[in-house]
């Protein structure tokens, strides 16, 4: 007998698939299509176990659908622009392009041994000029259609690196790389007008029935629809009134001040004549632009000395403050502060000694607010204090609705619906991104580049020695002719946010070499993505931007109507975790150890020299904690099928799976056992016998159960059924032919999870062709019918015995058999039963 040797088996079958171009997808109108896609990776240079799990999940679906007769599109690419490449270039003196393509080569070499059923002929990277050139064409179409605009916006500015920072790159108010204090600066930026679609994007979530509910909720919250009241405070000294928008107009009688953003037009106007206001505005410009950051930052204010009248009482005057926590791009950039019911306002009022007025109390606690604002949910009923709409006890929502109606009836306010979703700023002052295809002409202004001049290719000869965008100091690239008048002009040196690159790649995969962004016939056939697989961390921005892009691509003729929602089904998988092994150094600081340096035994974990190790279980894999497992080491040691089997079997796909060496070893032992069984069965020539029928019945039950598990993404359940059938088959005394049929079918059921081993078993059993091309087995409904049923027998409520009877046996016959059981006779001790209750298919109850 030969041994199970994945290192020999797996490359052989991968070559067979490549030679046959098994996974190359071609449009075939005569066949139903199925498009499965895993979120494409960033080319960091190394795959990790999270990649293995993500791609294994998608591969199971792809192989299963192929076996069902679908024409499957299963592509792979790389999300390749972005700061890491530019940072690597600055750190090493290399070039982002070289760094990126070198990493892509490395990752492809690491991914191919996994045996994924990918159509590698469609692979692209978003930094391919062929890709981003078509992205530039899309941009021009969207610009013409009104989906793009250019205007001033406040951004995070790093004065050392001389670049705009994303909110995530601002840490404690400082640039994540330079450590410089970040400034809020107003720059002219390009925007996608996604906010115009707020209502549509929100309402369409209801139709995404095959998306996780938590993702739909996260998107709904991000879009943030709210109905509030917009009204104005009249200024005592005259001038434009201060207009505010509030979602809690019901608390208007608790107003202590009116606050305006440092970027509010009134604040700017005051700063022109008041140096103190100008200085305060400059101070507020330091720090990031995130709402969450402003929420937790120290509350700072400047009393303008201006006064406004309360709309419900002209004699009630309120001061106007400039406050650092008010954002200009939400609402009107002005608020009224109600400190009793808003912690942020309360902190501000306590600091500046402004009054705190309660507008409502808890029903059972009339205590005034002290250090903590009283902020019950809008659904909680409270007792109101002299509410102007005549409320006594009412919920917050009831009070809001009543207030809006009251204000509209009185004519001093208007109910307004607003969205939290802001337009998508796409300008980045960086080199390694898709150039925005417009030029700036002194005569013509901002002019879109002509399509025949696309792509606008990034120059290679750039230097990162000086902070800032290299494109700004590259005259031969930057200086150009105006596409409109031909006069000297300058190219836009901002590049696009990398989220743009990932917002339409799924559509590009349908025709990746086309000279237009998409080809209508291919998009009509392949779209939508039937199953999208990825991490929950992309639940908001990537998916929201993709939904916007799909709508804009439809409006500009690049996608069909059906693709406005491009992902029919979404699955968000859990992480792969691993224990952290740590000791402490002489100063008590943690020292992390790689798993291969630790021996785990019955008495705990220890280093190889015997030093005891503290184990932190189920932690996210992290290079900084040395608890990562290199997939290449696993493939080298056990084979790709073992890695795939383990990450699919250990827990439901939506939950985290903890990688353990013992778990991987157990998976490998099982696969080796299956291989040995197949080897023995292939050589068996035992005749057919009475056991054949039982094995066949068990096989068809397994087909049904495994199929149901795959269909419902319960891959771990499918694998559990395969474990069980392996035991059944190993114990079966059926004839050789029945066992060969059972083993071949089991190989088919295992093929989506362990494709290499499945091909090998198929071949060992003498089957023709590739198992990858074989049709998925179908369970015979007649063999799923259970002929007998096992019934427990209780005597006076205590279980005494059980009997197996034909499923359709008459109640009287069941009663006779139950009473004849020896254990029941002993329990009755010679007495006649008072009553016997037979519940068909469930139980027999005997009352003594």
């Amino acid at each position: 007998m030969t041994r199970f040797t994945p290192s020999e088996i797996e490359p052989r079958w991968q070559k067979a698939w490549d030679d046959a171009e098994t996974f190359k997808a071609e449009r075939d109108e005569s066949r139903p299509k199925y498009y499965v896609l895993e979120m494409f990776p960033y080319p960091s240079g190394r795959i990790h176990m999270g990649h293995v799990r993500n791609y294994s999940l998608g591969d199971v679906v792809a192989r299963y659908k192929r076996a069902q007769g679908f024409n499957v599109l299963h592509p792979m690419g790389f999300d390749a622009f972005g700061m890491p490449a530019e940072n690597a270039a600055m750190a090493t003196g290399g070039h982002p392009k070289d760094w990126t393509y070198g990493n892509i080569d490395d990752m492809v070499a690491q991914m191919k041994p996994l045996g994924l059923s990918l159509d590698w002929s469609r692979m692209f990277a978003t930094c391919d000029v062929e890709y981003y050139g078509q992205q530039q064409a899309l941009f021009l179409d969207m610009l013409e259609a009104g989906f793009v605009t250019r205007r001033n916006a406040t951004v995070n500015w790093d004065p050392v690196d001389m670049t705009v920072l994303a909110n995530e790159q601002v840490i404690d108010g400082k640039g994540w790389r330079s450590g410089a204090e970040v400034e809020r600066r107003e720059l002219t930026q390009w925007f996608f007008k996604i906010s115009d679609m707020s209502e549509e994007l929100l309402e369409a979530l209801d139709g995404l029935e095959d998306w996780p509910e938590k993702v739909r909720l996260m998107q709904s919250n991000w879009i943030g629809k709210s109905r509030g009241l917009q009204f104005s405070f009249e200024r005592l000294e005259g001038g434009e009134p201060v207009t505010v928008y509030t979602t809690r107009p019901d608390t208007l009688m608790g107003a202590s001040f009116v606050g305006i953003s440092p970027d509010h037009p009134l604040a700017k106007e005051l700063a022109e004549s008041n140096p103190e206001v100008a200085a305060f505005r400059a101070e507020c410009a330091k720090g990031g632009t995130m709402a969450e950051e402003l929420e937790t930052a120290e509350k700072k204010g400047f009393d303008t000395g201006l006064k406004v009248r309360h709309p419900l009482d002209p004699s009630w005057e309120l001061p106007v403050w400039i406050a650092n926590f008010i954002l200009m791009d939400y609402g009107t950039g002005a608020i009224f502060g109600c400190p009793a019911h808003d912690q942020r306002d309360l902190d501000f009022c306590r600091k500046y000694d402004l009054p705190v007025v309660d507008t409502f109390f808890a029903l059972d606690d009339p205590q005034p607010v002290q250090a903590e604002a009283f902020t019950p949910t809008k659904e909680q009923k409270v007792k109101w204090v002299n509410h102007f709409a005549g409320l006594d006890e009412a919920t917050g929502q009831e009070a809001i609705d009543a207030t809006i109606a009251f204000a509209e009836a009185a004519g001093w306010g208007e109910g307004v619906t607003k969205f939290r979703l802001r337009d998508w700023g796409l300008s980045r002052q960086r080199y390694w991104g898709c150039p925005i295809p417009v030029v700036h002409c002194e005569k013509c202004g901002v002019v879109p580049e002509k399509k025949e001049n696309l792509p606008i290719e990034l120059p290679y000869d750039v230097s990162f020695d000086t902070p800032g965008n290299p494109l700004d100091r590259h005259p031969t690239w930057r200086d150009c002719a105006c596409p409109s008048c031909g006069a000297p002009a300058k190219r836009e040196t901002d590049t696009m946010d990398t989220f743009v690159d990932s917002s339409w790649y799924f559509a590009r995969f349908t025709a990746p070499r086309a000279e237009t962004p998409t080809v209508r016939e291919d998009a009509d056939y392949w779209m939508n993505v039937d199953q999208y697989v990825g991490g929950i961390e992309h639940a908001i921005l990537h998916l929201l931007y993709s939904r916007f892009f799909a709508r804009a691509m439809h409006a500009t003729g690049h996608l069909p109507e059906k693709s406005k929602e491009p992902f029919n089904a979404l699955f968000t998988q859990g992480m792969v975790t691993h224990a952290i092994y740590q000791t402490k150094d002489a100063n008590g600081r943690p020292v992390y150890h790689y798993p291969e340096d630790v021996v785990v035994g019955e008495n705990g974990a220890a280093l190889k020299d015997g030093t005891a190790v503290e184990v932190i279980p189920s932690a996210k894999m992290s290079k900084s904690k040395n608890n990562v497992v290199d997939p290449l080491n696993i493939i080298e040691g056990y084979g790709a099928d073992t890695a795939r089997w383990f990450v699919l079997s250990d827990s439901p796909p939506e939950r985290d799976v903890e990688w353990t060496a013992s778990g991987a070893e157990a998976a490998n032992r099982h696969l080796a056992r299956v291989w040995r069984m197949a080897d023995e069965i292939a050589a068996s020539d035992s005749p057919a016998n009475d056991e054949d029928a039982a094995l066949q019945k068990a096989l068809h039950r397994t087909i049904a159960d495994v199929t149901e598990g795959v269909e419902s993404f319960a891959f771990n359940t499918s694998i559990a059924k395969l474990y069980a059938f392996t035991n059944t088959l190993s114990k079966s005394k059926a004839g050789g032919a029945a066992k060969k049929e059972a083993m071949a079918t089991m190989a088919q059921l295992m093929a989506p999870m362990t494709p290499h081993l499945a091909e090998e078993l198929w071949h060992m059993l003498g089957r023709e062709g590739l198992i990858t091309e074989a049709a998925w087995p179908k369970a015979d409904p007649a063999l799923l019918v259970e002929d007998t049923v096992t019934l427990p027998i209780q005597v006076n409520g205590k279980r005494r015995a059980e009997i197996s009877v034909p499923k359709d046996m008459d109640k009287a016959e069941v009663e006779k058999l139950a009473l004849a059981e020896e254990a029941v006779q002993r329990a009755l001790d010679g007495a006649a039963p008072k009553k016997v209750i037979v519940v068909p298919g469930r139980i027999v109850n005997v009352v003594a």
Side-chain angles (χ1 to χ4, degrees):
M1 178 184 292
T2 56
R3 294 176 59 246
F4 172 52
T5 52
S7 60
E8 295 177 8
I9 292 171
E10 294 181 354
R12 183 166 70 245
W13 291 112
Q14 288 164 20
K15 183 176 184 306
W17 298 329
D18 289 344
D19 291 346
E21 296 187 330
T22 304
F23 306 121
K24 187 172 183 178
E26 300 283 357
R27 176 159 56 88
D28 181 353
E29 303 287 353
S30 67
R31 297 173 61 198
K33 68 88 184 179
Y34 195 89
Y35 185 1
V36 58
L37 182 66
E38 300 96 45
M39 293 178 185
F40 65 169
Y42 181 79
S44 60
R46 300 288 292 180
I47 65 169
H48 51 69
M49 291 308 298
H51 289 127
V52 174
R53 192 185 197 198
N54 186 17
Y55 304 145
S56 296
L57 293 172
D59 203 48
V60 169
V61 177
R63 288 176 177 275
Y64 169 69
K65 290 296 181 182
R66 178 181 304 281
Q68 283 196 316
F70 287 90
N71 187 21
V72 174
L73 173 59
H74 187 204
M76 176 57 68
F78 290 90
D79 190 7
F81 275 135
M83 279 297 285
E86 214 162 305
N87 290 338
M90 286 187 274
T92 64
H95 194 284
K97 183 176 181 179
D98 301 333
W99 184 89
T100 301
Y101 280 107
N103 284 352
I104 288 174
D105 290 344
D106 290 343
M107 289 183 71
V108 169
Q110 295 159 25
M111 292 165 72
K112 286 199 170 181
L114 288 170
L116 303 169
S117 60
L118 293 166
D119 179 359
W120 287 102
S121 73
R122 292 178 182 252
M123 188 187 90
F124 60 74
T126 55
C127 63
D128 293 346
V129 67
E130 293 80 9
Y131 181 83
Y132 71 73
Q134 297 304 327
Q135 186 164 296
Q136 291 169 340
L138 275 180
F139 178 90
L140 293 178
D141 288 345
M142 292 183 187
L143 180 63
E144 183 179 4
F147 291 109
V148 183
T149 188
R150 187 170 183 263
R151 56 181 163 77
N152 286 348
T154 303
V155 298
N156 302 311
W157 179 256
D158 187 321
V160 172
D161 277 351
M162 297 179 66
T163 188
V164 169
L165 300 178
N167 285 331
E168 295 75 12
Q169 294 171 321
V170 180
I171 301 172
D172 297 331
K174 297 180 179 177
W176 69 287
R177 185 175 177 279
S178 69
E181 197 168 68
V182 172
E183 301 172 0
R184 281 193 288 162
R185 181 175 290 193
E186 202 167 77
L187 293 180
T188 304
Q189 303 273 287
W190 289 95
F191 289 86
F192 284 119
K193 297 165 69 176
I194 187 174
S195 65
D196 287 355
M197 294 187 185
S198 296
E199 186 79 60
E200 181 181 347
L201 289 168
L202 181 66
E203 289 184 354
L205 288 172
D206 291 338
L208 300 177
E209 296 176 353
D210 290 326
W211 283 38
E213 180 57 35
K214 62 182 177 183
V215 174
R216 293 195 293 173
L217 179 61
M218 290 165 76
Q219 291 228 346
S220 175
N221 290 338
W222 189 264
I223 295 170
K225 182 178 182 178
S226 64
R227 179 169 165 78
L229 184 69
Q230 188 159 305
F231 63 98
S232 297
F233 288 91
E234 182 186 344
R235 286 163 59 184
L236 265 63
E237 77 284 0
E240 287 292 319
V242 179
T243 301
V244 302
Y245 170 78
T246 175
T247 57
R248 292 307 302 262
D250 50 317
T251 61
L252 184 54
M253 296 304 286
S256 289
F257 68 98
V258 166
I260 61 175
S261 165
D263 299 318
H264 192 279
L266 179 56
K268 292 180 179 179
E269 178 186 327
L270 294 171
E272 292 177 359
S273 58
N274 186 334
E276 290 184 68
V277 174
F280 182 73
R281 289 190 68 235
E283 184 181 351
C284 291
K286 298 176 182 175
T289 60
M290 286 181 70
E292 294 80 359
E293 190 172 317
L294 293 174
E295 196 75 24
T296 55
E298 180 188 357
K299 305 298 178 291
K300 296 178 181 178
F302 184 92
D303 187 354
T304 65
L306 302 178
K307 301 281 187 183
V308 294
R309 298 184 195 281
H310 196 288
L312 294 174
D313 182 357
S315 66
W316 185 352
E317 299 176 2
L318 295 168
V320 178
W321 286 68
I322 303 171
N324 68 334
F325 56 83
I326 302 173
L327 290 169
M328 189 60 217
D329 64 352
Y330 183 72
T332 62
I335 63 161
F336 73 82
C338 179
H341 307 299
D342 184 301
Q343 190 62 44
R344 180 193 60 182
D345 294 349
L346 182 62
D347 294 342
F348 188 83
C349 288
R350 293 298 189 207
K351 179 175 181 178
Y352 293 106
D353 199 24
L354 293 166
V356 176
V357 180
D358 297 271
T359 63
F360 55 76
F361 295 102
L363 294 180
D364 57 353
D365 184 7
Q367 295 299 314
V369 161
Q370 297 298 321
E372 186 175 342
F374 178 42
T375 56
T377 66
K378 292 180 181 177
E379 291 72 34
Q380 182 177 332
K381 187 169 284 191
V382 294
K383 187 170 184 60
W384 293 85
V385 181
N386 299 324
H387 194 279
F388 46 90
L391 299 173
D392 179 28
E393 292 185 2
T395 67
Q397 189 58 56
E398 290 168 344
I400 291 168
D401 295 340
T403 301
I404 292 174
F406 181 89
E408 289 185 330
W412 56 268
E414 178 185 9
V416 174
T417 298
K418 289 188 180 293
F419 293 88
R420 179 173 176 266
L421 181 63
R422 305 268 74 84
D423 280 341
W424 171 12
L426 67 111
S427 298
R428 296 292 181 271
Q429 291 70 43
R430 294 168 190 139
Y431 163 76
W432 194 231
C434 174
I436 297 174
V438 299
V439 302
H440 300 272
C441 173
E442 287 191 6
K443 178 183 175 185
C444 305
V446 177
V447 183
E449 184 55 271
K450 291 180 179 177
K451 278 194 176 178
E452 56 261 37
N453 294 335
L454 300 182
I456 306 302
E457 190 169 354
L458 286 171
Y460 184 82
D461 55 335
V462 293
S463 167
F464 297 92
D465 297 339
T466 306
N469 185 354
L471 297 177
D472 284 332
R473 51 180 186 273
H474 194 295
T476 58
W477 184 88
R478 184 193 61 201
D479 299 340
C480 62
C482 172
S484 177
C485 69
K490 293 186 185 302
R491 293 201 179 284
E492 170 66 68
T493 57
D494 285 356
T495 54
M496 297 187 198
D497 175 18
T498 55
F499 272 115
V500 181
D501 312 330
S502 58
S503 293
W504 72 286
Y505 78 108
F506 47 87
R508 183 66 179 171
F509 273 135
T510 63
R513 310 292 173 237
E515 295 184 354
T516 50
T518 58
V519 172
R520 189 55 185 264
E521 293 79 6
D522 290 312
D524 282 345
Y525 178 73
W526 288 116
M527 288 295 288
N528 295 341
V529 176
D530 294 283
Q531 182 64 63
Y532 200 28
V533 183
I536 190 71
E537 65 273 21
H538 302 294
I540 297 178
L541 291 184
H542 163 59
L543 293 171
L544 196 59
Y545 291 161
S546 296
R547 296 176 62 217
F548 161 76
F549 236 74
R551 283 166 167 77
M553 288 180 71
H554 166 64
T556 51
H558 296 292
L559 280 178
E561 168 85 21
K562 67 175 182 179
S563 302
K564 290 169 72 175
E565 287 296 341
F567 310 120
N568 289 349
L570 171 70
F571 188 86
T572 54
Q573 84 280 358
M575 295 186 297
V576 181
T577 65
H578 193 286
I580 294 174
Y581 302 116
Q582 72 173 25
T583 55
K584 298 287 179 65
D585 66 11
N587 298 316
R589 290 175 300 202
V591 177
Y592 301 107
H593 303 277
Y594 290 105
E596 53 266 35
D597 297 331
V598 176
V599 177
V600 180
E602 293 182 357
N603 297 322
L607 298 178
K608 291 174 181 174
D609 64 3
T611 304
V613 171
E614 180 185 357
V615 180
I616 302 171
S618 300
K620 178 182 178 182
M621 285 191 180
S622 168
K623 290 180 181 177
S624 65
K625 301 292 191 299
N626 289 345
N627 68 333
V628 294
V629 174
D630 190 335
L632 298 186
N633 291 340
I634 300 302
I635 293 172
E636 186 178 337
Y638 299 110
D641 281 347
T642 292
R644 293 169 60 120
W645 184 262
F646 178 72
V647 296
L648 292 167
S649 67
D650 199 58
S651 65
E654 67 274 17
R655 288 166 50 184
D656 293 348
V657 57
E658 181 171 11
W659 182 275
T660 62
S662 59
E665 290 166 3
N668 184 255
R669 284 197 301 273
H670 177 76
L671 299 187
R673 180 192 181 201
V674 171
W675 189 94
R676 291 193 301 273
M677 285 173 57
D679 191 49
E680 293 170 3
I681 289 172
S684 172
D685 57 359
S686 59
N689 57 58
D690 293 343
E691 298 290 324
D692 290 6
L695 180 60
Q696 189 183 34
K697 193 173 181 64
L699 174 63
H700 282 260
R701 168 48 58 194
T702 303
I703 294 171
D705 290 345
V706 171
T707 303
E708 182 181 353
V710 173
E711 286 278 1
S712 59
F713 253 86
F715 303 147
N716 61 316
T717 302
S718 292
I719 289 177
K721 298 297 181 183
L722 287 166
Y723 270 116
F725 186 71
T726 303
N727 289 332
T728 299
L729 181 56
S730 70
K731 296 174 183 174
S732 173
K733 305 298 183 187
K739 294 180 79 169
K740 286 174 184 171
E741 179 64 25
M743 177 55 80
T745 304
M746 188 168 82
Q748 287 181 272
L749 298 176
M750 292 176 67
M753 299 87 170
T754 56
H756 311 87
L757 175 61
E759 291 282 10
E760 190 70 12
L761 302 181
W762 192 254
H763 177 70
M764 290 165 67
L765 294 164
R767 299 301 176 111
E768 296 292 328
L770 295 170
I771 198 171
T772 305
E773 303 288 6
W776 189 253
K778 291 183 179 179
D780 183 346
L783 294 175
L784 301 180
V785 177
E786 296 295 340
D787 299 329
T788 60
V789 61
T790 300
L791 302 176
I793 306 171
Q794 291 187 160
V795 179
N796 290 341
K798 188 172 182 180
R799 184 177 179 127
R800 295 292 184 179
E802 65 180 30
I803 53 174
S804 292
V805 299
K807 196 173 182 180
D808 56 354
M809 178 177 274
D810 180 77
K811 279 188 178 181
E813 292 298 317
V814 173
E815 182 177 328
K816 285 181 185 176
L817 291 174
L819 294 177
E821 282 290 308
E822 184 179 343
V824 175
Q825 291 292 320
R826 281 200 304 271
L828 290 173
D829 194 21
K834 293 179 180 175
K835 193 173 184 181
V836 179
I837 304 169
V838 177
V839 182
R842 300 282 302 279
I843 195 170
V844 179
N845 276 315
V846 179
V847 180

